[in-house]
Amino acid sequence: MFCKEASSSLQTLNIAKSLGSEFTKPSTLINPLSAGHRFKVCPRPNLRGRCAITSSKLSDLTDIIVKDRFKKIEVTGTITTKETIGLSASLIGSLLVELISAETDPRTLMEKDPVTDNARSVLFDGLGEDQYKCRFFMPEDFGEVGAIRVLNLELIEIFLKEIKLELPDGPVTFTCNSWVAPMTKDPTKRTFFSNKSYLPLKTPEPLKKLRKEELETLQGKNRERAGEFEKFERVYDYDVYNDLGNPDKDPELARPIMGGLSHPYPRRCKTGRKPCRKDPSSETRKGEFYVPRDEEFTTVKGIQFTGSAVLAALPAVLPQIEAALVDPNMPFPHFKSIEDLFEEGIELPKDAGLFPVIPRLVKAAAEADDILQFESPSLLDKDRFSWIRDDEFARQTLAGLNPYCIQLVQEWPLKSKLDPAVYGDPNSLITSEIVEREIKGVMSFYEAMENRRLFMLDYHDLLLPYVNKVRELDDSTLYASRALFFLSDDSTLRPVAIELTRPQDANRPQWRQVFTPGYDATSCWLWSLAKTHAISHDAGYHQLISHWLRTHCCIEPYIIAANRQLSAMHPIYRLLHPHFRYTMEINARARQALINAGGIIESCFWSGKYSLELSSDVYDKLWRFDREGLPADLINRGLAVEDEKAEHGVRLTIPDYPFANDGLMLWDALKEWITDYVKHYYPDAEQVMLDEELQGWWSEVRNIGHGDKKNEPWWPVLKTQDDLIEVVTTIAWVASGHHAAVNFGQYGYGGYFPNRPTISRIKMPVEEPTEEELKEFYEEPEKTMLKTFPSKKQATIVMVTLDLLSAHSPDEEYLGENPEASWAHEPVIYAAYERFKGKLQYLEGVVDERNVNITLKNRAGAGVVKYELLKPISEPGVTGMGVPYSVSI
């Protein structure tokens, strides 16, 4: 070996000796056996056509060439990939791996040559992971490995988990967690940076070009083909929501485009699909909905169907469930038939094939038909009659599924801001006299206003323009509604009145009526029916606005912009990345099966085909980034006031407000962690201003991702560390705490649908009734209520969907459970993370203590469902607790 390598080096020396000496412009002579060594030569030939080495004596060159070849360090590497479903480890073979130095060559001031090996060996560990072994001969002065480039030489994609190098100073791990396409699809080398984070200006010189090239790839600048994106391309770009309708299939399925002047909306991920034939402004819906490959759930052996995959399968599943129902479009005949969904279930054909898709709900029998049997939701388990009581109706505005809509009454009299010429008298029929009568002399109306004791759910002006349109849809009705509550001394709310309004139209005058808790049979039933309508409005607003719009939809532009503008080695990218995991994938599935024309939302909620149009109205009129953080949201709704002396900097208007009590603790923990993180990487405001990637990210969020609101004056500007801390904390909160609070209790509270009906199918029996309607109400009021509820088909579909959406997957990633590799790499950041983790563990204990404190009546007491939605950690399944980092279901 010695003789062979020495001979090769001497051959290079002999070539150099044979060169002439008349050169003026330097170029580079490279020893092919010695990676990284370059010698300056001049390319102008002399008369003999030879070259001359400059700036070095031949004796010095001899020493460099011969000695340098033996200054090598052997470095072994272990590459870990996850074994993908259906692929044997033996099928996964060769990877070309390059190590890139983070240091420049001091002699040439250029980047050093990469060190390369072909990783061929495959070891299967039996735990769903494959390992490759590789070996590098690295120059002694190679320096720190700043990046690794990988080329997949096989015909299948692999999920690259990590690369571990055994260096003389100790092992170094590169965390990848990325799909790598085969070179037959993507011949470019994938770049993975080390776990050390760098701001753009502090990036080592040899890595700057790779940093730029990787961002250009994600922006689509290196894309050579036109048309629909393929997953391996990893392109992040923006588009409007123009793929919800399907006019080519049916003109009735045409839908307006969400995004633009007519219907302002956040942007989604661009797919590049062809336009529809009948409406070129709409996009076709054929096949899979593109999202960049790393945004998808990891399909690995041992992991069951993810929620995303189940959502994709729902369109095929639901017709089979419908076929098993008797009279699916009819109401349930009695309440016992509703309870039978949990006790006896629905017989399904054995060949329906639903068990693999919804195993929690399908009881497979060896011989007989399968049974679709729903698990009893927590509300029903605790108190099967609580749903009909006024105290529970009020309690759920503070500790239920939608705690984001209760607001303080700050103006009186209540009055619509809509045009009375179009909609009728704007003045509410809820008067101060009604309020005083219902609070029964506890205090006067004016004392109640002065002492901040009146609250309401106000969907009046939002719904009024849609009432007549929704009433034209089949089997549906709608009112504009207000529900008024009084705050008692024990911090519980008491319902006072519900006002339902139907606006005027060309043929009829305005109709409206106020309903109050009754003390005789008829008024009690009317009050219960009025509550049913009001709660269905809240259920629809929750799903479309509190859940879909404010979390799923508004987060997607942050993700697209981050991948386009922030390098994977950027500290803010690494801070936010866990909060973005899988959101784009679940949103694409929602466009396929939930929010699309004829999808589950349109079919089962009162908003029908106007669902996304209504959410666009709310985005246009009400959504503000600066009010998406929890303290700002509470202050905006009058549920808190700023108070520097208070524990969280705000004082709650309702002291026992479980969502806010727990949420503020979580918000503070997030903000403290993010503050420590940001101030470590940005020691002064100037660093924030000079960070071109950071400024580019936030500019793109505002001007493109949320471009329909780009001119709003409330957008934060990133000038200081505090500006950045507030922006990042808000995004992290929305993705984690906000989403957990409105998502993981869906089955617990909505699984028994009389508690949260998603649609009201018939009008109140006192709104211009026929004799037959009035007679049925008086003789069989229960039948009127059952007809108001969703049909069998609607209720069953919603129950299946809520069960899926409420479930944690086995590989869920919870706040504070495990640190990201880049956080653990930096001691200061890891110490801050450990403090964050400790605060979340403390929150767990506080939640448990609060839930057994019977003085806190909104979360403890006889038959009361505990408030655990913001308890950070959970077991898999439907648990009603657990706060994942991201919107992943």
Side-chain angles (χ1 to χ4, degrees):
M1 173 66 77
F2 174 86
C3 295
K4 182 178 180 181
E5 293 187 350
S7 173
S8 298
S9 295
L10 289 173
Q11 286 176 9
T12 303
L13 178 60
N14 290 331
I15 293 172
K17 285 181 177 180
S18 70
L19 302 177
S21 60
E22 295 180 63
F23 276 79
T24 57
K25 185 178 180 182
S27 68
T28 303
L29 172 67
I30 302 174
N31 175 5
L33 297 176
S34 181
H37 275 295
R38 301 174 179 180
F39 305 98
K40 297 297 181 181
V41 301
C42 297
R44 184 171 62 84
N46 62 14
L47 296 175
R48 293 174 296 174
R50 297 178 179 178
C51 303
I53 298 178
T54 63
S55 306
S56 178
K57 295 180 180 180
L58 288 178
S59 59
D60 295 334
L61 178 60
T62 303
D63 290 340
I64 292 172
I65 294 178
V66 175
K67 292 179 181 179
D68 182 73
R69 176 56 191 156
F70 303 101
K71 291 182 180 179
K72 298 289 185 182
I73 302 169
E74 182 176 335
V75 174
T76 60
T78 301
I79 302 173
T80 303
T81 65
K82 287 189 177 181
E83 186 186 0
T84 53
I85 291 177
L87 297 177
S88 167
S90 62
L91 293 177
I92 304 176
S94 181
L95 302 175
L96 179 67
V97 184
E98 289 183 353
L99 307 186
I100 309 295
S101 175
E103 300 177 6
T104 55
D105 190 322
R107 290 159 294 189
T108 65
L109 301 182
M110 299 174 66
E111 63 269 17
K112 297 178 179 179
D113 285 342
V115 178
T116 305
D117 188 38
N118 216 19
R120 296 180 182 277
S121 301
V122 178
L123 298 175
F124 178 56
D125 67 358
L127 300 175
E129 294 183 345
D130 301 324
Q131 289 189 343
Y132 303 64
K133 294 292 183 181
C134 44
R135 185 172 62 165
F136 307 92
F137 291 97
M138 180 187 296
E140 192 176 55
D141 62 349
F142 189 76
E144 179 184 353
V145 180
I148 297 178
R149 305 190 79 187
V150 177
L151 183 64
N152 180 3
L153 302 179
E154 293 302 320
L155 299 177
I156 55 173
E157 66 175 358
I158 60 168
F159 185 82
L160 187 55
K161 181 180 178 183
E162 65 180 23
I163 303 173
K164 187 175 182 180
L165 302 178
E166 296 293 340
L167 298 171
D169 296 335
V172 174
T173 300
F174 283 64
T175 304
C176 306
N177 288 326
S178 180
W179 292 96
V180 180
M183 66 176 296
T184 53
K185 288 188 174 181
D186 185 1
T188 59
K189 297 170 186 173
R190 286 290 308 278
T191 300
F192 298 98
F193 297 107
S194 71
N195 289 334
K196 186 174 182 179
S197 299
Y198 293 100
L199 296 178
L201 290 178
K202 297 181 180 180
T203 307
E205 198 64 35
L207 303 183
K208 286 183 177 179
K209 182 180 178 182
L210 293 177
R211 183 173 186 146
K212 181 182 178 182
E213 287 176 350
E214 180 69 5
L215 285 176
E216 288 176 345
T217 296
L218 297 176
Q219 292 165 7
K221 291 183 178 179
N222 299 326
R223 191 170 189 247
E224 297 180 354
R225 55 184 295 277
E228 185 171 353
F229 294 142
E230 294 191 50
K231 291 176 182 177
F232 72 85
E233 293 181 283
R234 304 187 303 127
V235 175
Y236 292 78
D237 206 349
Y238 301 92
D239 208 342
V240 293
Y241 279 76
N242 62 350
D243 62 347
L244 302 176
N246 196 349
D248 286 349
K249 182 178 180 180
D250 186 342
E252 290 296 318
L253 295 177
R255 293 292 180 270
I257 295 168
M258 297 296 112
L261 293 176
S262 299
H263 299 289
Y265 218 56
R267 297 302 188 260
R268 63 165 175 90
C269 177
K270 186 175 182 178
T271 66
R273 286 172 296 177
K274 295 179 180 179
C276 293
R277 298 189 313 276
K278 296 183 179 178
D279 178 10
S281 63
S282 294
E283 196 172 73
T284 55
R285 292 176 51 84
K286 294 180 180 178
E288 289 288 321
F289 282 30
Y290 166 83
V291 293
R293 188 65 174 101
D294 285 345
E295 301 299 331
E296 291 190 336
F297 287 92
T298 54
T299 310
V300 295
K301 189 175 286 188
I303 301 298
Q304 294 180 339
F305 250 160
T306 62
S308 171
V310 172
L311 282 180
L314 274 180
V317 167
L318 298 181
Q320 298 181 63
I321 295 176
E322 180 182 354
L325 296 170
V326 178
D327 299 325
N329 294 316
M330 296 295 289
F332 286 87
H334 39 69
F335 277 91
K336 177 63 170 63
S337 61
I338 299 175
E339 294 176 1
D340 284 345
L341 294 172
F342 310 102
E343 296 173 1
E344 298 181 11
I346 303 168
E347 288 189 3
L348 297 171
K350 194 69 179 174
D351 58 356
L354 300 186
F355 179 73
V357 183
I358 44 176
R360 194 178 106 91
L361 301 182
V362 175
K363 313 303 184 216
E367 298 178 0
D369 290 339
D370 290 344
I371 301 294
L372 176 66
Q373 185 175 351
F374 291 93
E375 297 285 339
S376 181
S378 55
L379 183 79
L380 206 59
D381 282 341
K382 284 285 187 178
D383 183 348
R384 63 187 297 186
F385 301 113
S386 64
W387 67 275
I388 205 167
R389 294 201 314 267
D390 290 350
D391 64 284
E392 183 64 14
F393 167 48
R395 188 191 74 83
Q396 288 185 30
T397 66
L398 302 173
L401 189 53
N402 188 28
Y404 267 100
C405 289
I406 190 73
Q407 60 181 289
L408 178 71
V409 175
Q410 301 185 62
E411 295 180 359
W412 197 270
L414 301 176
K415 186 176 181 179
S416 171
K417 294 179 173 60
L418 300 177
D419 185 355
V422 177
Y423 298 104
D425 188 349
N427 297 299
S428 171
L429 293 180
I430 302 177
T431 63
S432 56
E433 290 78 15
I434 290 176
V435 174
E436 287 196 342
R437 186 186 73 210
E438 292 302 319
I439 64 178
K440 299 177 176 60
V442 173
M443 60 181 68
S444 70
F445 165 78
Y446 296 101
E447 289 173 326
M449 283 292 294
E450 185 178 353
N451 293 322
R452 305 165 73 89
R453 293 293 191 101
L454 294 180
F455 296 81
M456 67 175 171
L457 292 176
D458 186 4
Y459 299 123
H460 185 277
D461 282 11
L462 175 65
L463 300 190
L464 201 60
Y466 288 89
V467 170
N468 288 330
K469 292 193 290 187
V470 168
R471 287 184 168 217
E472 293 176 358
L473 303 177
D474 293 337
D475 211 21
S476 184
T477 195
L478 184 64
Y479 294 99
S481 68
R482 296 184 180 100
L484 193 68
F485 302 85
F486 173 74
L487 178 64
S488 301
D489 291 339
D490 61 1
S491 204
T492 60
L493 291 176
R494 181 197 306 173
V496 171
I498 293 173
E499 181 177 25
L500 300 179
T501 303
R502 183 200 71 200
Q504 64 189 31
D505 60 23
N507 301 314
R508 295 181 300 181
Q510 182 190 66
W511 180 92
R512 55 195 175 138
Q513 187 167 330
V514 174
F515 301 88
T516 57
Y519 301 95
D520 61 84
T522 300
S523 59
C524 283
W525 273 106
L526 287 174
W527 170 249
S528 293
L529 289 169
K531 280 198 302 181
T532 297
H533 284 274
I535 292 170
S536 74
H537 303 159
D538 187 66
Y541 189 94
H542 157 263
Q543 201 63 261
L544 284 170
I545 311 302
S546 302
H547 186 197
W548 162 254
L549 176 68
R550 291 181 64 180
T551 65
H552 289 260
C553 187
C554 284
I555 285 175
E556 187 154 343
Y558 312 147
I559 302 171
I560 299 172
N563 282 278
R564 288 170 54 84
Q565 298 296 332
L566 297 177
S567 166
M569 68 165 71
H570 196 291
I572 297 303
Y573 179 88
R574 285 175 161 166
L575 176 60
L576 284 173
H577 182 254
H579 296 288
F580 294 161
R581 207 173 269 132
Y582 305 139
T583 301
M584 290 178 68
E585 160 79 351
I586 202 68
N587 286 0
R589 298 303 190 189
R591 302 203 318 271
Q592 282 182 298
L594 289 178
I595 62 171
N596 59 301
I600 292 171
I601 297 295
E602 287 197 3
S603 301
C604 301
F605 285 74
W606 53 261
S607 46
K609 69 178 184 179
Y610 302 106
S611 296
L612 268 288
E613 188 177 333
L614 183 138
S615 70
S616 170
D617 283 350
V618 174
Y619 177 72
D620 183 33
K621 298 170 185 174
L622 300 178
W623 187 86
R624 292 178 49 158
F625 181 87
D626 63 329
R627 292 178 179 173
E628 288 301 287
L630 180 58
D633 171 79
L634 294 171
I635 292 169
N636 179 55
R637 290 187 284 122
L639 270 295
V641 293
E642 292 188 65
D643 185 348
E644 293 181 358
K645 297 180 180 179
E647 183 180 2
H648 306 289
V650 295
R651 177 169 40 85
L652 293 177
T653 314
I654 301 176
D656 181 17
Y657 186 0
F659 161 69
N661 297 133
D662 297 355
L664 286 169
M665 288 187 68
L666 181 56
W667 169 271
D668 280 358
L670 277 168
K671 189 168 186 177
E672 182 178 317
W673 148 242
I674 291 167
T675 298
D676 290 341
Y677 189 101
V678 166
K679 290 191 172 180
H680 175 73
Y681 288 104
Y682 298 91
D684 55 63
E686 184 181 21
Q687 299 293 321
V688 176
M689 292 289 291
L690 293 176
D691 189 337
E692 292 183 355
E693 286 185 7
L694 183 73
Q695 297 296 335
W697 166 65
W698 192 238
S699 174
E700 195 165 289
V701 167
R702 172 176 176 170
N703 293 301
I704 303 178
H706 285 277
D708 293 339
K709 299 179 80 73
K710 65 183 178 182
N711 295 321
E712 297 287 354
W714 41 255
W715 278 104
V717 178
L718 298 183
K719 292 183 177 180
T720 68
Q721 300 104 313
D722 288 344
D723 295 335
L724 179 56
I725 289 164
E726 192 68 22
V727 164
V728 174
T729 304
T730 297
I731 293 173
W733 161 258
V734 172
S736 58
H738 180 149
H739 181 258
V742 299
N743 183 74
F744 293 105
Q746 290 194 84
Y747 189 75
Y749 282 106
Y752 185 66
F753 67 85
N755 181 62
R756 288 190 70 77
T758 57
I759 189 172
S760 297
R761 299 198 302 150
I762 64 171
K763 59 187 176 63
M764 291 288 291
V766 290
E767 181 203 337
E768 301 171 356
T770 64
E771 289 186 12
E772 184 179 344
E773 290 170 343
L774 207 54
K775 179 181 179 181
E776 181 178 77
F777 168 63
Y778 281 120
E779 293 186 357
E780 296 181 276
E782 179 180 325
K783 193 172 183 179
T784 300
M785 177 170 279
L786 290 166
K787 284 184 175 181
T788 305
F789 286 156
S791 67
K792 294 178 183 179
K793 172 185 173 182
Q794 290 169 329
T796 307
I797 289 173
V798 168
M799 290 167 70
V800 169
T801 306
L802 295 186
D803 183 86
L804 296 173
L805 296 180
S806 302
H808 292 290
S809 66
D811 60 346
E812 194 82 86
E813 298 177 47
Y814 299 98
L815 281 181
E817 190 174 32
N818 295 303
E820 293 290 292
S822 61
W823 305 346
H825 177 83
E826 178 61 53
V828 173
I829 297 301
Y830 184 65
Y833 171 80
E834 285 294 304
R835 291 193 295 273
F836 173 56
K837 183 176 183 178
K839 285 184 175 294
L840 296 182
Q841 291 171 343
Y842 176 70
L843 172 58
E844 294 247 356
V846 171
V847 169
D848 289 339
E849 288 180 5
R850 287 172 173 171
N851 284 333
V852 295
N853 183 351
I854 60 173
T855 65
L856 302 176
K857 296 182 179 180
N858 290 320
R859 64 190 306 157
V864 174
V865 176
K866 296 177 181 179
Y867 191 78
E868 297 180 307
L869 289 170
L870 294 178
K871 198 172 180 180
I873 307 297
S874 171
E875 296 294 323
V878 178
T879 63
M881 65 179 74
V883 184
Y885 276 101
S886 64
V887 180
S888 57
I889 186 62

